[in-house]
Amino acid sequence: FHGPTGTGKSFVSKLVAESLFKNGINSKFVHHILAEKEYINNTQHSLTKFKTELSDFIVKNVKLCKRSLFIIEEFNSLPEGLADVLIPYIGKVGDQDYRKSIFIFLSKVGKNMIIDRFVDHCKNNKARETKLLEDIANLLPIIAYNSPGGFKNSKIISKALIGFYIPFLPLERKHVKQCAKKEIRNSNIEVNNFTMESVANEMLYDWNEDFSMQGCRTVQSKVADLF
């Protein structure tokens, strides 16, 4: 999943978990790894250590559940070279079959390209539901492969081991209002156009008011501050 902050990458990952497991994102078979927190040292010694730890972690958990879900957030923050330790686990190793496991990589890689393409798309008065997503998705492997961090020169890209590249487009004001509606309802506050507009007005937008600069990430805190 590639896209700017607050565009729904974590939210969709949560939906995937809920569709697979009764306890959703809280299932013991869902494993959430925050790259920025787990892999902060980037030396050759630490890289070797990280490779061993990540490999052992995957093996241990797939033995417990073949349909384990691994969500790696901020994948671009992984040390260069670490991602290739995943290669054996996107398939079958010996008598252990990993093909039923799911790996979701969340990343901001390509966000500038996504934003630029989206803005140009809007300027041409085209709907976001048109061929834009497919065009962006085709560019993401190239950008990711050449960007610093976890995807850089990665064999999981060069060997075409990633099944899908899914771009998340910037969120427009109407989407912010939808997020606000959900948070307002969760706070047991009356949902109406005034309350939704109040939250939307607190968000930061690009210079042309095309999209929210933080997506829906800060909507929850805005609702708490306003009401």
Side-chain angles (χ1 to χ4, degrees):
F1 296 175
H2 295 263
T5 298
T7 50
K9 299 185 296 293
S10 295
F11 177 72
V12 174
S13 299
K14 181 180 178 181
L15 293 181
V16 173
E18 290 174 351
S19 71
L20 293 172
F21 302 104
K22 180 179 179 180
N23 294 326
I25 200 72
N26 296 316
S27 169
K28 64 181 179 180
F29 304 124
V30 177
H31 311 286
H32 185 259
I33 300 169
L34 182 57
E36 285 184 324
K37 179 181 179 181
E38 299 292 336
Y39 305 107
I40 56 176
N41 296 316
N42 193 5
T43 65
Q44 189 58 44
H45 173 72
S46 61
L47 179 60
T48 301
K49 176 174 174 285
F50 291 154
K51 284 183 175 181
T52 300
E53 290 177 347
L54 183 55
S55 179
D56 290 346
F57 180 76
I58 294 170
V59 170
K60 179 184 72 174
N61 285 291
V62 172
K63 283 182 178 179
L64 295 174
C65 176
K66 290 184 178 181
R67 297 186 182 276
S68 292
L69 172 61
F70 299 90
I71 301 170
I72 304 181
E73 190 168 344
E74 302 295 350
F75 194 91
N76 47 292
S77 296
L78 290 178
E80 184 179 334
L82 180 57
D84 285 342
V85 78
L86 300 172
I87 292 175
Y89 309 116
I90 310 178
K92 187 174 182 179
V93 180
D95 59 355
Q96 183 65 56
D97 192 350
Y98 294 88
R99 289 173 294 186
K100 292 182 180 180
S101 299
I102 298 175
F103 293 84
I104 298 178
F105 309 141
L106 311 187
S107 170
K108 295 188 185 75
V109 166
K111 68 175 183 177
N112 292 334
M113 179 272 290
I114 292 172
I115 292 172
D116 290 344
R117 290 290 180 115
F118 174 69
V119 171
D120 289 342
H121 198 73
C122 291
K123 287 179 179 178
N124 291 323
N125 296 316
K126 296 180 180 179
R128 65 189 287 139
E129 294 82 7
T130 57
K131 197 171 176 287
L132 177 63
L133 285 175
E134 182 181 343
D135 292 340
I136 292 176
N138 290 335
L139 293 173
L140 284 173
I142 301 171
I143 294 175
Y145 188 79
N146 291 287
S147 296
F151 290 112
K152 178 73 172 179
N153 297 325
S154 173
K155 289 185 176 64
I156 62 172
I157 292 180
S158 63
K159 291 181 177 291
L161 297 177
I162 297 178
F164 302 94
Y165 293 84
I166 303 176
F168 283 68
L169 301 180
L171 299 184
E172 301 166 67
R173 186 182 181 91
K174 64 181 180 181
H175 302 118
V176 172
K177 289 176 67 175
Q178 290 172 359
C179 294
K181 181 178 180 179
K182 176 177 178 293
E183 292 299 337
I184 292 169
R185 182 177 289 125
N186 290 342
S187 301
N188 295 317
I189 300 168
E190 181 183 354
V191 177
N192 54 48
N193 192 60
F194 173 78
T195 54
M196 290 189 293
E197 284 288 349
S198 297
V199 175
N201 288 338
E202 291 294 311
M203 305 296 287
L204 294 176
Y205 299 88
D206 76 312
W207 64 273
N208 203 33
E209 295 289 309
D210 287 318
F211 60 89
S212 169
M213 300 293 286
Q214 292 292 320
C216 279
R217 172 156 291 187
T218 59
V219 166
Q220 186 177 35
S221 62
K222 297 297 184 185
V223 171
D225 290 342
L226 286 171
F227 307 106

